[in-house]
Amino acid sequence: WRYILTNTKEGTNSITIGQNAGSSITSTVGIIAIGKDVCKLATTPFSDQQSIVAIGYETGTSMTIAHRTTLLGSKTGGLISNSAANTLIGFKVGTTITGWVNGIDGSSYNCGVGCESFNTGPSSSRNVFLGYQCLIGDGLNSSLLADDVRDCVALGHKALRACRTVENVAVGSEAGTIITTGKYNSFMGHKAGSNITSGNYNTFLGYKAGINLSAASSNNVCIGSNAGFTGVLNNQLWIHNSQTND
């Protein structure tokens, strides 16, 4: 075990506790690293690299350049590097995101709490999530590379679970849970939009709203419990409490 307290010769105002925790710190400042292998690669100074908190077994193990980052949970944010302003809390949260990929500044400005959530593409940014297995895309399948997810909000158990795209909002347990490539959708309610995969520009509000529409349906508004008719339909408006095409 390795214990380094404040104002050490190697790390200015840093605290590390745990085997290999912060073991490569040279000139970074303001790091709190607690747990085995936490921030063990943190070496390279950033213009304002500070306020980094990482707590948990193998949390932030590959972090080098980062700042304003909080990682709490076992194996959370293990590959994050070259990123900023992430707050990730929970077991195995953000295990697949990294940072700079092909010159793109990614994996920044994400905020969320959940177990096994936010395991998306390497440069996913500006996402908010709360719940178990939200925003995981293909991230839990090691044989597949998840796509980047940006500007999404997922609140609820498995909300936007399979999402691999951008600008979707889902609020409710399993809301939009199997959407993959669809964009610009808003789902609010338990299992709202839970049958949509590739549809775009849908707005569903209510318990199981739009659940009867087929996967590619787009540009629809469904308001009410089970609102929406069965089939692939586009450019429709339903305000009702059951299946209807009126």
Side-chain angles (χ1 to χ4, degrees):
W1 285 74
R2 184 173 186 269
Y3 300 88
I4 300 178
L5 299 180
T6 58
N7 296 314
T8 66
K9 179 179 180 180
E10 297 178 326
T12 304
N13 294 320
S14 294
I15 300 174
T16 69
I17 301 175
Q19 183 180 4
N20 297 321
S23 57
S24 298
I25 290 176
T26 56
S27 57
T28 51
V29 298
I31 289 180
I32 298 177
I34 301 175
K36 181 180 182 294
D37 293 336
V38 174
C39 294
K40 69 177 181 180
L41 299 181
T43 58
T44 309
F46 197 82
S47 59
D48 60 348
Q49 178 161 325
Q50 57 186 336
S51 301
I52 296 174
V53 177
I55 301 174
Y57 174 74
E58 293 184 355
T59 292
T61 54
S62 296
M63 183 183 295
T64 54
I65 301 175
H67 59 112
R68 292 175 290 166
T69 296
T70 301
L71 307 175
L72 303 177
S74 178
K75 297 189 176 181
T76 288
L79 299 178
I80 287 180
S81 185
N82 299 293
S83 63
N86 288 297
T87 299
L88 307 178
I89 301 174
F91 174 69
K92 287 188 176 180
V93 174
T95 59
T96 57
I97 62 173
T98 55
W100 288 83
V101 177
N102 297 324
I104 299 175
D105 183 9
S107 297
S108 295
Y109 315 111
N110 299 293
C111 180
V113 180
C115 175
E116 296 179 352
S117 290
F118 195 49
N119 291 302
T120 58
S123 293
S124 298
S125 295
R126 301 181 300 275
N127 298 288
V128 177
F129 61 91
L130 174 63
Y132 173 70
Q133 289 191 357
C134 297
L135 291 174
I136 62 174
D138 294 323
L140 294 183
N141 185 340
S142 60
S143 66
L144 299 173
L145 177 62
D147 296 327
D148 295 335
V149 175
R150 294 189 177 92
D151 301 296
C152 287
V153 177
L155 305 179
H157 177 79
K158 295 185 179 180
L160 295 182
R161 184 184 190 276
C163 183
R164 294 167 21 217
T165 183
V166 300
E167 298 183 43
N168 289 301
V169 175
V171 179
S173 178
E174 298 186 30
T177 190
I178 66 171
I179 195 166
T180 53
T181 59
K183 303 176 183 178
Y184 319 123
N185 296 286
S186 296
F187 306 132
M188 298 184 185
H190 176 69
K191 291 190 176 181
S194 59
N195 200 41
I196 299 294
T197 59
S198 58
N200 304 313
Y201 299 103
N202 292 294
T203 300
F204 299 160
L205 174 62
Y207 172 76
K208 293 186 178 180
I211 195 171
N212 301 300
L213 274 66
S214 296
S217 298
S218 296
N219 297 291
N220 297 293
V221 176
C222 296
I223 301 175
S225 176
N226 290 285
F229 199 66
T230 301
V232 179
L233 297 172
N234 301 314
N235 306 303
Q236 302 294 315
L237 167 65
W238 290 273
I239 303 177
H240 206 275
N241 285 327
S242 63
Q243 291 189 43
T244 178
N245 58 355
D246 296 330

